[in-house]
Amino acid sequence: MNIESLLEQMTLQEKIGQLVQILPSVYDPQTSDTVTGPVAQLMEESGLTEENRFELGSVIGINQAEQALRIQQNYLKHNRLGIPLLFMADIVHGHRTIYPVPLALASMWDISEMELMARQSAIEAAASGLHVTFSPMVDLVRDARWGRVMESTGEDVWLNGEYAKAFVRGYQTDDLTRSDSLAACVKHFAAYGAAEGGRDYNTVDMSDRELREFYLPAYLKAIEAGARLIMTSFNVVDGVPATASTYLLRQILRNEWQFDGVTISDWSSIKELIQHGVAGSLAEAGEKGIKAGVDIDMMSGAYLNHLEQQIEEHVVSIDLVDEAVRRILILKQDLGLFENPYRGIDPELEKRIHLSKEHRDTARRLAEKSCVLLKNDHILPLAESQRIALIGPFATSTDVLGPWAGSGKQEEAITVRDALDEANIKYVFAEGSTVDAEIDWDQAMEVAKQAEVILLALGEASWMSGEAGSRTDIRLPKTQREGLARLATLGKPIVTVLFNGRPLDLREVVEHSDAVLEAWYPGTEAGRAIHRLLFGHAIPSGKLTISFPYHVGQLPMRYDALPTGRPMTIEGADPRYTSKYLDAPNEALFPFGYGLSYTHFSYSQLTLCEQSKESIWEASVLVTNEGTLDAEEIVQWYVQDPVADVSRPLRQLKGYERVFVKAGSNREVTFRIDASMLMYQHPDGSVKADAGEFILYAGSDSTCTLHETFWLKQTIEKEQFDEHINDRSTSTTR
Ligand code: GLC
């Protein structure tokens, strides 16, 4: 298809139509729309008419092959130039087979597994006719009050970027025309996770250096991995709504990053420029959106109602519309839609691949690797001969898919109780309470008295996190905490399994439980994964990628914090005048990188030597499995830059490796450091590594103390480093 000649044939109304995204029900009354935002008024204001209905560019929320086929066929009968519709949806952690939520998946510290999850999700979604997924969400998050933390991969800038690349590779492969690929839409640009007070949609305000050092890199990594779309966020950055920000959308995205893909607003976020107070009308909001560089208006009606007149009155240049339409048409072309508007749609494959054994097995394995063992006082693994009391709302709850569960169906999920029954494990049962209301803790106490060990399944309902799911009290609901405290009076060992979308304040849970397994929302195979872990058929290996605070009052918190001028760690410091709380520790209850196993690993013999004058170092550490079970450990490498032009984090993750170590043996783990890992954004905007001392830490979580010092002899600029790397890579290929 010759895009330029197609563009020339298009009327102004047809061009504007391509910039509009609407719900599929406008084309298919049988469709029950997947609504992820305010909708009633938006549809009234959409500007939709019988005349322009078959000129729109995309729909949001297709989820079945038959539906996609029906809509596309009908649409192409009416679209004058035969330009196919784009089908987009939120495939965030699965389409019909639901994998653990992203914050759980991140706890695997396993890039290839994350990529596999995205690949299988794309295979299922493409068979249903999807072309684009609104994923990965790469927003950096340091505040567990924010409900969308469950969608993120946590608080570390580097790890978020690694996962961002894995998602994009998994969805897109290296050939977007493949019938089983999905174009990735990275979101939410930008810094949506830094909402003040952890309150969704709230103001974001930070220095440009903070934005570029911590919040932007993961979006860039997704783009460098080939993400074809990016979604603007609801929040303001430096007072300007992201959806109207020429700084973000043109200066950074187009000029600095050379992004040539499609930009799309989040749901009605163009219209919301009015609520933000930067537009006095829907027309002005649309003008600001198109001038800032938003190509597709998702569900606001601003473009469809007003752009035509604004072009005719020269308020908006037709060039802005043309550049947006061009990018959308190129995306459709690169997806192969002009050759085959029905690419991917396959009702037979859909039946075969959705919830296939292969995908369910993957979902179960990933759920096992995503769970994080937070406490285990020699209780786990359980023996099947033990008399077990299964208690709590999540013993039988199917609310284990979590928010953004695509087309997953709760009734297809395996509960904890289902899995115990499948394994013929004997137990007595009592629910005790729902998520937030007592049923009968007295009865649960009587049931617990019959058992040797109490298996307690507690958690948040999925609506208590996710979008618009912010909480100021991040403890378990009161009735659950009361039930746990009562059960603890029996003096029997308690194993608590948690289902939640955010880091919780777990002080009471830890106090009353002998073992605590963080299961997050494990997805379709939840119960089977948890059963295998609890009874030792699988060994917990997950590690947190976000801090669990001691108390919500510590938030926002991060392991890569700055030292401050009055750290508590200074020898001889006056204890009063140090950076601390009077009523809580500074540290997390469970820190970034933390997670237990059924064995124990120790670290020793950390060595570090410079490889050459090229400022490359090779580190090595000995990891010993001190226990009686073979198991995997996630070895973590952190670097500190103790003296720099700005105050630098106490440490930052620079690498990790999942290693299998046989019981009673050890293995050497190596790590290569180069100057790029030492660079940071200087106040003058330059990115470089300063000459001077650095400290390397190796260990099992972000509080590890084993360390070695090394020196960078001369300052290295990023440009200089990149050139050197390019020269070296061309020399090696020569
Ligand atoms: C929602 C979310 C966004 C999602 C979009 C479409 O409001 O903010 O993450 O992709 O709408 O469902």
Side-chain angles (χ1 to χ4, degrees):
M1 171 61 67
N2 182 316
I3 298 298
E4 293 311 318
S5 76
L6 179 56
L7 206 52
E8 281 163 17
Q9 297 170 57
M10 292 172 77
T11 65
L12 175 57
Q13 194 172 12
E14 287 170 332
K15 289 179 180 178
I16 292 169
Q18 286 299 312
L19 311 186
V20 176
Q21 181 168 100
I22 199 91
L23 291 169
S25 56
V26 303
Y27 299 111
D28 180 20
Q30 302 172 47
T31 284
S32 57
D33 289 323
T34 306
V35 174
T36 58
V39 64
Q41 190 188 359
L42 291 173
M43 287 308 282
E44 286 154 27
E45 295 170 350
S46 65
L48 200 61
T49 64
E50 265 319 298
E51 186 196 2
N52 65 28
R53 191 155 70 103
F54 291 101
E55 295 169 348
L56 306 190
S58 58
V59 292
I60 169 176
I62 290 284
N63 55 24
Q64 283 170 0
E66 296 290 359
Q67 172 200 34
L69 200 54
R70 196 168 53 243
I71 288 175
Q72 193 73 285
Q73 283 170 335
N74 180 33
Y75 181 90
L76 288 173
K77 280 186 200 137
H78 298 85
N79 184 276
R80 183 176 72 89
L81 293 168
I83 302 173
L85 266 177
L86 261 184
F87 294 149
M88 306 192 191
D90 296 278
I91 313 298
V92 174
H93 52 107
H95 175 53
R96 181 70 181 279
T97 304
I98 302 303
Y99 303 84
V101 292
L103 190 58
L105 291 167
S107 307
M108 298 189 296
W109 296 58
D110 193 324
I111 295 301
S112 59
E113 292 283 39
M114 187 68 97
E115 184 172 337
L116 176 63
M117 184 285 301
R119 185 82 297 272
Q120 291 185 354
S121 303
I123 289 166
E124 290 198 6
S128 296
L130 266 299
H131 306 133
V132 174
T133 175
F134 297 129
S135 176
M137 184 274 212
V138 303
D139 304 323
L140 185 90
V141 189
R142 294 164 170 168
D143 195 325
R145 292 172 292 183
W146 193 54
R148 302 195 75 164
V149 62
M150 49 62 58
E151 267 181 274
S152 79
T153 49
E155 72 190 46
D156 182 73
V157 54
W158 174 77
L159 194 55
N160 282 358
E162 293 306 293
Y163 280 130
K165 293 186 288 186
F167 274 107
V168 172
R169 288 193 303 265
Y171 290 139
Q172 296 192 168
T173 73
D174 53 8
D175 175 5
L176 214 45
T177 61
R178 278 176 51 155
S179 60
D180 66 357
S181 67
L182 284 185
C185 176
V186 59
K187 66 188 185 184
H188 304 81
F189 192 61
Y192 181 27
E196 281 178 8
R199 197 178 85 218
D200 207 354
Y201 315 125
N202 203 4
T203 302
V204 167
D205 199 18
M206 62 181 73
S207 71
D208 191 62
R209 209 179 61 78
E210 174 80 0
L211 180 71
R212 289 171 176 273
E213 178 88 19
F214 292 97
Y215 286 87
L216 292 187
Y219 304 108
L220 176 55
K221 290 282 180 66
I223 286 169
E224 289 172 342
R228 293 300 303 269
L229 300 92
I230 191 164
M231 181 186 291
T232 64
S233 57
F234 290 119
N235 55 283
V236 299
V237 179
D238 195 14
V240 179
T243 305
S245 170
T246 51
Y247 178 63
L248 290 176
L249 300 179
R250 292 196 185 279
Q251 169 55 32
I252 293 178
L253 196 55
R254 301 294 183 190
N255 299 343
E256 292 180 32
W257 294 357
Q258 296 296 299
F259 178 63
D260 60 2
V262 172
T263 54
I264 182 169
S265 68
D266 201 340
W267 185 287
S268 81
S269 60
I270 288 182
K271 176 175 186 285
E272 290 167 14
L273 298 179
I274 301 170
Q275 283 78 7
H276 275 295
V278 300
S281 66
L282 190 59
E284 189 181 356
E287 176 190 343
K288 292 216 164 185
I290 194 75
K291 286 182 175 175
V294 178
D295 296 337
I296 297 178
D297 171 7
M298 182 196 292
M299 288 296 296
S300 99
Y303 287 5
L304 199 53
N305 278 295
H306 301 289
L307 259 187
E308 188 170 355
Q309 185 178 345
Q310 289 168 329
I311 300 283
E312 283 158 1
E313 293 171 359
H314 304 294
V315 172
V316 171
S317 159
I318 183 62
D319 296 343
L320 294 178
V321 169
D322 283 349
E323 73 172 13
V325 177
R326 185 176 291 111
R327 288 192 280 257
I328 293 161
L329 295 179
I330 289 171
L331 176 60
K332 293 184 178 183
Q333 181 177 56
D334 290 351
L335 281 161
L337 286 175
F338 287 113
E339 285 70 36
N340 174 11
Y342 309 103
R343 65 76 102 190
I345 300 175
D346 186 335
E348 284 316 304
L349 175 62
E350 187 180 50
K351 289 190 189 72
R352 216 169 46 248
I353 202 74
H354 284 194
L355 293 168
S356 65
K357 182 179 183 317
E358 180 194 359
H359 289 188
R360 288 192 84 126
D361 286 350
T362 303
R364 195 210 66 248
R365 185 179 70 252
L366 270 53
E368 288 167 10
K369 295 171 91 167
S370 302
C371 291
V372 183
L373 184 60
L374 299 176
K375 179 179 181 182
N376 184 25
D377 286 352
H378 313 297
I379 294 297
L380 293 177
L382 298 174
E384 299 188 355
S385 57
Q386 286 176 282
R387 290 198 318 281
I388 292 165
L390 176 62
I391 294 173
F394 277 87
T396 56
S397 171
T398 56
D399 185 14
V400 294
L401 305 185
W404 297 110
S407 301
K409 299 183 189 321
Q410 287 194 14
E411 60 269 25
E412 292 163 347
I414 301 297
T415 68
V416 174
R417 187 172 194 177
D418 293 337
L420 297 188
D421 290 343
E422 262 182 5
N424 296 315
I425 289 174
K426 299 290 171 278
Y427 60 87
V428 289
F429 169 71
E431 201 165 0
S433 75
T434 65
V435 168
D436 51 10
E438 179 169 355
I439 293 174
D440 188 344
W441 281 117
D442 292 339
Q443 186 241 355
M445 291 288 282
E446 290 313 307
V447 165
K449 286 172 185 169
Q450 302 167 35
E452 289 173 69
V453 60
I454 298 166
L455 177 50
L456 191 54
L458 304 176
E460 292 179 310
S462 55
W463 58 264
M464 296 167 75
S465 62
E467 183 172 354
S470 300
R471 295 177 69 202
T472 58
D473 181 347
I474 57 170
R475 295 176 296 172
L476 286 171
K478 188 166 184 289
T479 184
Q480 294 185 45
R481 289 183 284 117
E482 287 171 345
L484 170 56
R486 288 187 61 187
L487 289 166
T489 62
L490 297 174
K492 295 174 184 282
I494 296 177
V495 176
T496 299
V497 182
L498 296 167
F499 297 79
N500 45 287
R502 60 162 48 82
L504 296 172
D505 167 352
L506 293 178
R507 283 174 293 155
E508 294 167 84
V509 172
V510 172
E511 179 191 352
H512 295 311
S513 306
D514 301 273
V516 180
L517 181 70
E518 175 55 76
W520 312 102
Y521 291 111
T524 308
E525 286 288 306
R528 289 182 179 131
I530 290 164
H531 158 252
R532 283 175 47 80
L533 289 168
L534 293 180
F535 288 87
H537 305 303
I539 296 180
S541 60
K543 302 260 184 181
L544 299 177
T545 62
I546 191 160
S547 309
F548 272 52
Y550 176 88
H551 186 284
V552 69
Q554 294 173 303
L555 296 177
M557 81 181 314
R558 53 197 273 214
Y559 84 92
D560 57 350
L562 306 186
T564 79
R566 291 195 171 180
M568 291 177 72
T569 52
I570 292 293
E571 288 294 320
D574 179 329
R576 172 73 185 178
Y577 300 104
T578 55
S579 179
K580 66 177 179 307
Y581 300 100
L582 295 177
D583 54 359
N586 289 355
E587 294 74 25
L589 184 64
F590 296 111
F592 177 90
Y594 177 87
L596 301 176
S597 171
Y598 289 154
T599 186
H600 172 68
F601 296 97
S602 63
Y603 288 71
S604 59
Q605 299 177 31
L606 175 60
T607 62
L608 185 59
C609 60
E610 188 161 5
Q611 295 301 295
S612 69
K613 60 182 184 320
E614 288 179 348
S615 307
I616 291 173
W617 295 265
E618 182 89 4
S620 160
V621 70
L622 197 66
V623 182
T624 303
N625 179 343
E626 309 277 4
T628 57
L629 291 172
D630 300 349
E632 284 196 305
E633 164 71 336
I634 297 165
V635 178
Q636 298 157 46
W637 300 94
Y638 297 87
V639 169
Q640 181 183 8
D641 181 356
V643 180
D645 283 1
V646 296
S647 185
R648 305 279 294 123
L650 288 164
R651 64 180 71 188
Q652 285 188 292
L653 180 72
K654 295 298 178 185
Y656 69 88
E657 186 176 341
R658 283 184 75 98
V659 292
F660 177 82
V661 190
K662 291 188 74 59
S665 67
N666 56 43
R667 64 179 283 184
E668 182 189 47
V669 180
T670 60
F671 178 55
R672 179 183 177 280
I673 300 170
D674 67 38
S676 69
M677 300 175 185
L678 312 178
M679 295 181 178
Y680 65 92
Q681 178 94 22
H682 284 59
D684 64 3
S686 66
V687 178
K688 55 191 176 190
D690 303 328
E693 178 192 36
F694 292 85
I695 303 171
L696 174 71
Y697 295 89
S700 192
D701 67 48
S702 58
T703 64
C704 57
T705 55
L706 185 60
H707 67 278
E708 281 295 330
T709 300
F710 62 102
W711 289 80
L712 179 65
K713 297 185 182 66
Q714 75 284 339
T715 294
I716 298 181
E717 300 268 355
K718 183 175 186 315
E719 293 72 20
Q720 172 194 356
F721 179 84
D722 292 347
E723 276 163 32
H724 174 68
I725 288 292
N726 292 339
D727 294 349
R728 227 173 47 165
S729 61
T730 46
S731 65
T732 48
T733 51
R734 205 171 289 145

